[in-house]
Each structure stands twice: as C-alpha cells, then as structure tokens.
Amino acid sequence: MKRSLRGIGVLGGFALLWLVSSTLYTLPEGQKALVIRLGAPVDVNEQPGLKWKLPIVDSVQFFDTRLQTLAPAPEQVILGDEKRLEVETYTRYRIVDPLRFYQSLHTDLQARPQLNQLVSTSLRRELGKVQLKALLSTERSQIVARIQAEVAERARPLGVAVTEVRLHRADLPLETSQAIYDRMKSARQQEAKELRAQGAQWAQQIQAKADRDRTVILSEAERQSAITRGEGDAKANQILAQAFSKDPKFYKFYRSMQTYRQALAGSGATLVLSPDSALLHDFRSGPGGQR
C-alpha cells in the first residue's frame, strides 16, 4: 500500500512539474513571444521575464527583435545603359511586429527568401533607370537611398523595419572586365605607338636643325678664316714689301735662303750640284754678291 501511494506521489510530482513547465515559459531579453492557441495567435509578449500560457492548447513562438543582417549572393543587374553589373548587397532589418510577421512570413527561415526578393526587385528597378557613370559619381548615395526607402516601404506591412540597405560590391562581370581591360590595353598600346612616332619625328627635326646649324657654323667659320688668312697674307706682303724697299739685297738673300730650305728639306744627306749652278750663287758670293 505504501509503495502504491509512493508511486502515485511520484507520478503526481511529475504531472505537476509537467503542468508547470507547460504553463510557464521565460522570455529572454531582445526577443518577443507570440502565443498561438490552436493555430491562431492570441497574445504578444514583449517584456522579458517569466510568462504563462495554457498547457496543451497554447504554443509559443519567439522572434529575435535585434538587428539582423541579410547578405544574399551576388546577382547580375542590367543598368539603364545596357551595361551589366555584378551587385552584392547587404540589408539590416529587425522584427517590430511579431503578429504581422507571423501572419505574413511565419518564421525567420521563411522570411529571408522573401526579403531577398524584395531587395532584388527594388535593386533591379532602380538600377535599370541609371547609367554606370551615375554609380561612379556622387549620385550613388542617392540611388542607394531610394532603394532603401522602397524596400522599407514594402517590408513595413510584413512587420519588418528595414534600417539599412547598402551596395557591398558593384563590379563588372569577369568577362566584361576582361574585354574592357583588353580595349584599354589596345588603346594604351596605340597611344604609345603614336607617342613613339611623334618622338621619332621630333628627333628627325632636331637632327636636321642641328645639321643645318652645323653647316652654317662651319661655313661661317671657313669664311671668317679665309678673310683672316687673306688679311694676314696682305699684312705679310706689306711687311715684305717694306723690307724689300729698305734693303733689296738682304731681302733677295733671305728669299734665296727660304728657297734653299724648301728645296733641300726633302733631300738626303748628300746633294750633287754643278759648281756653276745658280743655286750655289749665294753660297759663293754671300749676301752682297752679284750674279
């Protein structure tokens, strides 16, 4: 009998524990709880702490109300100028109305694909109106702001507050980037070829001018040297004429010595002449001799 009472007491204790655990639940900080009774939401608890619900008929679904990040895979978008961009976005949102969120999206796992679709639709609609140069200018912030405003407006009826939408990356597709790189490389090679041709032309012009200047300078130098040489010869002739007029015999003897020096400069050690040679006249007669 005591064992039966003890067993009933244990079962009663377990039943009481089950009743308490199925009646009470704890709501953590940063979350909201939606009480669902037989499949229909009946209450929303927002304050953290110990809460109660009806056992068996009530279930509780928790929703994280902190900021969450949505970072879908990159997607290709066609711009208004028919250019393709590979765009990667990130979105920051929080659940502000658990009841609406549950009624429209049910769970966070089911909500993410739909929120991704909202962002993708707004992104394609807005970028389809602009050109690539707009994304590379100060207009980019305005474009992103319009996308964020549209996403926030469409997400509000779902119980979601979108606080931020940003373009994490916006690049040309790999094949497009390679084509642009090839075009840029070809353009730079063509520009380099033109610069080299222009440089060669300038080099020829400089060389031609240098050759012309050299010819002019040499011609002028030769002309000046001829003038100087002529003036020197004239001065020498004048001096010789003055010397001849002062002492004709000495001048004649000096000229004979110059003739000997020039005539005998290329001769050997021995020179055979006739005694009556005119070349030996001055050696026989001296400076004052007569022919």
Side-chain angles (χ1 to χ4, degrees):
M1 187 67 179
K2 290 182 179 180
R3 290 184 178 180
S4 299
L5 291 175
R6 189 181 296 113
I8 293 173
V10 171
L11 291 176
F14 278 115
L16 181 61
L17 289 176
W18 175 83
L19 181 63
V20 171
S21 63
S22 61
T23 302
L24 300 177
Y25 67 93
T26 302
L27 180 60
E29 186 75 28
Q31 293 189 1
K32 293 183 180 181
L34 179 64
V35 180
I36 303 172
R37 182 169 299 161
L38 299 177
V42 294
D43 190 20
V44 176
N45 291 319
E46 299 182 356
Q47 297 299 323
L50 190 64
K51 307 295 179 180
W52 69 273
K53 63 181 179 65
L54 295 178
I56 302 176
V57 295
D58 285 352
S59 61
V60 180
Q61 186 164 343
F62 296 95
F63 297 94
D64 193 341
T65 57
R66 295 171 297 181
L67 276 177
Q68 302 183 55
T69 301
L70 189 67
E75 58 179 316
Q76 285 197 6
V77 179
I78 301 178
L79 301 181
D81 53 2
E82 302 301 325
K83 290 185 174 61
R84 291 180 178 271
L85 269 187
E86 194 168 88
V87 181
E88 183 177 355
T89 63
Y90 73 88
T91 304
R92 306 271 287 178
Y93 71 95
R94 62 159 45 97
I95 300 172
V96 294
D97 191 335
L99 179 59
R100 285 189 179 183
F101 186 87
Y102 176 79
Q103 290 173 339
S104 56
L105 303 174
H106 295 287
T107 65
D108 186 66
L109 186 63
Q110 295 174 324
R112 284 179 172 271
Q114 296 192 43
L115 293 175
N116 282 337
Q117 187 61 39
L118 286 181
V119 175
S120 177
T121 301
S122 300
L123 180 71
R124 292 179 180 276
R125 180 183 296 109
E126 190 61 37
L127 294 187
K129 303 175 184 177
V130 301
Q131 298 183 355
L132 178 60
K133 62 181 181 180
L135 288 177
L136 304 177
S137 66
T138 55
E139 296 181 31
R140 177 173 178 141
S141 58
Q142 301 175 5
I143 296 170
V144 174
R146 290 197 295 267
I147 295 174
Q148 177 178 329
E150 183 177 347
V151 173
E153 181 66 26
R154 297 181 63 185
R156 190 175 295 111
L158 306 178
V160 176
V162 176
T163 60
E164 186 178 20
V165 177
R166 288 288 181 268
L167 300 183
H168 180 65
R169 182 172 62 88
D171 297 329
L172 293 171
L174 182 60
E175 58 275 11
T176 305
S177 300
Q178 185 62 40
I180 292 176
Y181 171 76
D182 292 340
R183 286 199 300 270
M184 292 175 62
K185 181 179 178 181
S186 178
R188 294 299 179 271
Q189 288 176 343
Q190 181 64 29
E191 184 178 358
K193 186 183 295 183
E194 292 176 357
L195 289 175
R196 282 194 294 268
Q198 188 176 23
Q201 180 182 359
W202 289 348
Q204 291 178 356
Q205 293 176 354
I206 293 171
Q207 185 65 39
K209 184 178 183 302
D211 292 342
R212 184 172 63 254
D213 293 345
R214 174 179 175 273
T215 302
V216 171
I217 292 171
L218 289 176
S219 177
E220 180 64 22
E222 290 176 356
R223 185 183 70 83
Q224 190 64 36
S225 66
I227 294 174
T228 304
R229 191 181 299 111
E231 292 176 350
D233 291 342
K235 188 68 173 178
N237 292 332
Q238 182 182 2
I239 294 172
L240 289 175
Q242 292 175 356
F244 179 74
S245 62
K246 290 181 180 179
D247 193 347
K249 291 182 180 182
F250 176 78
Y251 177 73
K252 185 177 180 181
F253 176 76
Y254 175 73
R255 295 290 291 178
S256 298
M257 292 299 102
Q258 286 185 329
T259 302
Y260 294 152
R261 183 174 60 184
Q262 294 175 0
L264 299 177
S267 302
T270 304
L271 181 64
V272 180
L273 297 173
S274 173
D276 56 351
S277 173
L279 189 61
L280 299 176
H281 175 269
D282 290 328
F283 287 105
R284 294 195 306 265
S285 60
Q290 299 294 328
R291 285 184 180 276

